[in-house]
Amino acid sequence: MATAADGRLALPPLLRGQKALVTGANSGIGKATAIALGRAGADVVVNYVSGREAADEVVEEIRSFGVQAFAHEADVSDEGQVVAMFARTVEEFGTVDVLVANAGLQRDAASTEMTLDQWNKVIGVNLTGQFLCAREAAKEFVRRGVVPEVSRAAGKIVCMSSVHQIIPWSGHVNYAASKGGILMMMQTLAQEFAPKGIRVNAVAPGAIRTPINRSAWETPEAETALLELIPYRRVGDPEDIAHAVTLLASDLMDYVVGTTIYVDGGMTLFPGFATGG
Ligand code: BGC
C-alpha cells in the first residue's frame, strides 16, 4: 500500500516560482514540509535554531529538485533575529510568498512543578515566535501585493498548531496554552489580513512520528496505548502534514481563509466515546 511517505504520492508543482520560509525546518514536520514545498517547485528558506548539518542536508535535498534553498539560523522568539531572517530572505529571493510558522517545542511538567522558564520558553517559541514571523511575512506580502502569475493571494501563512489547540493536555499546560493561543492568533490575523489578499490558516497535527514525541511511540507498549487515541489506528508520518501544508499554501485552496485543517487520524473525534458515554 502506498503511504504518505511514498514518492508515488509526490505532489505536482503547485508552488512553482514561489518563495517559502519554513521555521524549524531541520527536523520532523518542518523538515518534511520544507522538502515538500521544494518538491512542489518553491524556493525554500530552511530556518533552524541549532543543528546546522541537518539543515544543510535539507537544503541539499531541496536543491536536488532544481529549486533554490538556503539555511538560516535564527531563534524565532528573538525579534531581532526574525527581522534579520526576513531581510535576508528578501535580499536573496527578492520576496517571500509562503510562511510556514512551524518551529515549536515541548517542556513538559506537572503544573505545580512547572518553572517560569519552562512556561516562558514554550510560549516564547511556539506562540510569540509564530507572531513575529507572521508579522514580518505580512509586511512583505503587503509591500509586494498580488502578482497574478505567481499566486492569486498576496501571501499565505500556515501556522503549525496541534490537536492540543482544542484538546486539553495535563502535564503540558504551557504547550496546550501556546497552541490554544495559536488558534485565536491565526483567526485574528486571518480576519485582519484577508482584505489585503493574505490567507492565514493552520494545520493541526495529531500524533506524528517525530523527535518531539519519541516516548509516545518508541516502544510497542507506548505505541499500542497511543493508537487507542487514534481512530484511524496509525501514527502519522511527517509527510502527512507536509502534504496538507503544501495544498493549503497553493492556489488549489485559495478560498480557504482562517481555517484549521486537522491532520490527526481522527484524534479530535473523542475516541473515548466510541464505546462509552
Ligand atoms: C505533540 C505531541 C503529541 C501530539 C498528540 C502534538 O502536538 O507535540 O507530543 O504526541 O500532539 O497528543
Side-chain angles (χ1 to χ4, degrees):
M1 196 188 93
T3 69
D6 195 308
R8 281 174 292 172
L9 290 185
L11 292 159
L14 294 170
L15 300 174
R16 187 180 283 145
Q18 301 199 37
K19 320 291 179 189
L21 188 155
V22 183
T23 65
N26 63 343
S27 78
I29 288 171
K31 173 181 173 176
T33 299
I35 291 169
L37 298 182
R39 210 189 275 280
D43 296 327
V44 185
V45 182
V46 175
N47 161 258
Y48 68 101
V49 67
S50 64
R52 170 87 210 192
E53 257 178 46
D56 286 341
E57 280 170 27
V58 176
V59 165
E60 281 316 306
E61 185 162 353
I62 293 170
R63 285 183 182 157
S64 76
F65 307 134
V67 295
Q68 302 181 66
F70 66 87
H72 184 94
E73 180 184 335
D75 174 351
V76 295
S77 67
D78 181 304
E79 185 174 26
Q81 292 183 35
V82 171
V83 170
M85 174 167 69
F86 277 87
R88 179 178 172 204
T89 300
V90 171
E91 201 178 295
E92 299 216 8
F93 283 173
T95 189
V96 61
D97 304 283
V98 177
L99 163 67
V100 183
N102 164 78
L105 43 75
Q106 291 181 214
R107 292 288 183 272
D108 309 328
S111 296
T112 47
E113 308 301 323
M114 187 171 286
T115 65
L116 181 58
D117 275 355
Q118 288 173 318
W119 173 269
N120 283 339
K121 180 79 184 168
V122 171
I123 299 294
V125 172
N126 295 14
L127 183 57
T128 309
Q130 288 206 10
F131 169 69
L132 291 171
C133 290
R135 188 189 71 187
E136 292 311 300
K139 284 184 198 166
E140 172 58 15
F141 298 161
V142 169
R143 184 200 65 75
R144 192 204 56 241
V146 177
V147 180
E149 313 78 69
V150 174
S151 175
R152 292 183 79 173
K156 284 83 55 148
I157 296 173
V158 180
C159 298
M160 196 57 65
S161 188
S162 164
V163 291
H164 297 296
Q165 70 173 9
I166 55 164
I167 301 180
W169 202 15
S170 299
H172 309 262
V173 66
N174 47 359
Y175 185 85
S178 75
K179 296 300 182 178
I182 286 170
L183 171 60
M184 196 44 69
M185 179 189 74
M186 180 279 288
Q187 290 180 320
T188 300
L189 294 178
Q191 186 192 61
E192 189 170 334
F193 293 155
K196 301 179 196 305
I198 298 168
R199 295 194 294 116
V200 186
N201 291 286
V203 169
I208 309 299
R209 212 179 289 276
T210 72
I212 206 174
N213 61 356
R214 184 176 298 281
S215 63
W217 50 262
E218 74 179 342
T219 65
E221 299 73 37
E223 182 159 350
T224 302
L226 181 59
L227 291 176
E228 288 295 311
L229 299 174
I230 308 170
Y232 200 50
R233 297 290 188 263
R234 160 165 95 72
V235 177
D237 299 314
E239 288 74 15
D240 288 312
I241 307 305
H243 290 169
V245 173
T246 305
L247 283 172
L248 197 45
S250 80
D251 278 4
L252 285 181
M253 297 251 180
D254 186 60
Y255 209 51
V256 180
V257 176
T259 291
T260 298
I261 299 187
Y262 289 89
V263 185
D264 66 352
M267 193 175 238
T268 41
L269 297 174
F270 297 94
F273 278 79
T275 50

